[in-house]
Amino acid sequence: MLRQVSLGTLGLTIGGILTIIGFIAYANDNATLNLVGFFYGIPLVLGGLALKANELKPVPFSQVTTPTVLALRQQQATLTQNKIRQDLTRYCYGQDVHFDRALSYLGLTSSDQELPVITSLREEDINGNYALILEFDSSVIPIDVWQQKQEKMINYFGPGVDVKITQPKEDTIELTLIADKQ
């Protein structure tokens, strides 16, 4: 639940309320509430602004996950798949794009350090296996570079995960992480 709340918005809201209370208290000569507004409200507003400036919104699902796939996730999803899904569907701060460290480690950056951007994700049943599909806008990295890195991706995402790379349309890459039943 807390992962779905923007800390920047929360800081701005609470800080704004405390600051307004502080100004009203100042106008009414209430020193105690005045101090609350200035010592807590203004720093919260500034912190909220700083967080909003560096905020990455959660990646949306491109389609609703069916109950069948949810059951497969409970049974088969690896720790890596769950962590990726949870990280992508929460607010993040201080990153250029979601998944930036992994993309850099895998060598999926262009010469001017541009990274592919995850536009959405979805969960599917592929031949009875749970699959997490990451959909990238990859106008800077062509499909052949992605395919060259496939073996490194298989090692990176760990045991129990098979990696498939497809290009459903131009400038779009789908990275499919399939749980192996073993």
Side-chain angles (χ1 to χ4, degrees):
M1 174 66 186
L2 189 58
R3 297 173 144 242
Q4 299 300 317
V5 175
S6 166
L7 295 178
T9 302
L10 190 65
L12 284 172
T13 303
I14 294 172
I17 290 169
L18 289 175
T19 302
I20 290 170
I21 289 171
F23 280 120
I24 292 170
Y26 178 77
N28 292 329
D29 277 341
N30 186 336
T32 305
L33 282 179
N34 177 19
L35 289 175
V36 169
F38 287 120
F39 286 120
Y40 295 109
I42 292 174
L44 276 173
V45 166
L46 293 174
L49 286 171
L51 287 172
K52 277 304 239 187
N54 290 314
E55 182 176 270
L56 274 177
K57 292 184 178 4
V59 175
F61 282 88
S62 60
Q63 68 185 30
V64 177
T65 304
T66 64
T68 306
V69 175
L70 286 175
L72 269 179
R73 181 203 304 161
Q74 294 295 324
Q75 297 167 3
Q76 298 179 4
T78 66
L79 184 63
T80 302
Q81 287 172 316
N82 283 328
K83 183 160 176 41
I84 290 169
R85 180 182 40 79
Q86 290 168 353
D87 284 349
L88 294 178
T89 56
R90 68 178 174 89
Y91 284 91
C92 294
Y93 302 92
Q95 297 177 353
D96 295 327
V97 296
H98 284 285
F99 221 46
D100 61 350
R101 288 188 190 109
L103 293 170
S104 295
Y105 174 79
L106 294 169
L108 294 169
T109 59
S110 67
S111 58
D112 56 353
Q113 298 303 316
E114 287 188 49
L115 295 167
V117 177
I118 300 175
T119 56
S120 59
L121 70 144
R122 67 182 189 272
E123 298 171 296
E124 289 185 359
D125 175 351
I126 297 180
N127 299 325
N129 293 326
Y130 171 75
L132 179 64
I133 302 170
L134 310 178
E135 302 168 10
F136 288 86
D137 174 11
S138 182
S139 55
V140 294
I141 308 292
I143 183 75
D144 58 317
V145 174
W146 283 83
Q147 290 170 337
Q148 290 170 4
K149 305 293 183 183
Q150 185 168 2
E151 192 61 39
K152 190 172 184 178
M153 286 182 208
I154 291 170
N155 293 330
Y156 181 78
F157 293 117
V161 176
D162 191 21
V163 175
K164 301 287 184 220
I165 301 165
T166 57
Q167 186 173 23
K169 57 186 174 185
E170 189 176 347
D171 293 342
T172 301
I173 300 291
E174 288 186 351
L175 178 64
T176 305
L177 305 173
I178 306 167
D180 289 337
K181 284 190 210 177
Q182 296 180 357

